[in-house]
Amino acid sequence: MIDETVRKEVALEYCRRVNAGNLPLLRLFAVDVRFEDPVGTPPVIGRTALGAHFARVLAGRAEELPGRPIPAQDGLHVAVPIVATMDYVPVGHDLAAAGLVTPPRSPSAGGCASICSPSCGWTTSG
């Protein structure tokens, strides 16, 4: 079992690697990882699927500002409040379709004209 101090440091290292655009952040996770994004997307299962998820996040130039890690009562996990920002493309259209972010007034304003559809939430009446 990883002690509390190490768990907290691993959580913060994850944020540092995301901010650096560093895919070796996958090394922080077990092969059979279950990654749950608190934004509301379905869990990502396995390191291969997590690599694909992170590639999209990093393509959006994500930046994560972590708060203070808090140990979970189970002695196994750590919770970290994170404020994340990223470009709308490539994942913003998925988040907008789920009602989690406000889409740009037009696809060209958000840079998503080539990949989004009206299901993203944008309108041509802008």
Side-chain angles (χ1 to χ4, degrees), residues 30-90:
V31 173
D32 61 347
V33 61
R34 177 185 174 97
F35 185 84
E36 296 187 35
D37 188 331
V39 172
T41 59
V44 177
I45 309 296
R47 197 183 283 167
T48 301
L50 188 58
H53 170 77
F54 285 152
R56 291 183 69 208
V57 168
L58 296 178
R61 299 185 309 172
E63 286 190 42
E64 296 189 347
L65 177 63
R68 184 172 60 95
I70 306 294
Q73 292 180 348
D74 65 5
L76 299 173
H77 298 93
V78 170
V80 182
I82 295 174
V83 174
T85 58
M86 64 189 311
D87 291 348
Y88 189 78
V89 173

Side-chain angles (χ1 to χ4, degrees), residues 75-117:
L76 299 173
H77 298 93
V78 170
V80 182
I82 295 174
V83 174
T85 58
M86 64 189 311
D87 291 348
Y88 189 78
V89 173
V91 296
H93 61 282
D94 292 337
L95 298 175
L100 299 170
V101 299
T102 302
R105 289 179 56 90
S106 72
S108 59
C112 64
S114 63
I115 61 172
C116 285
S117 68

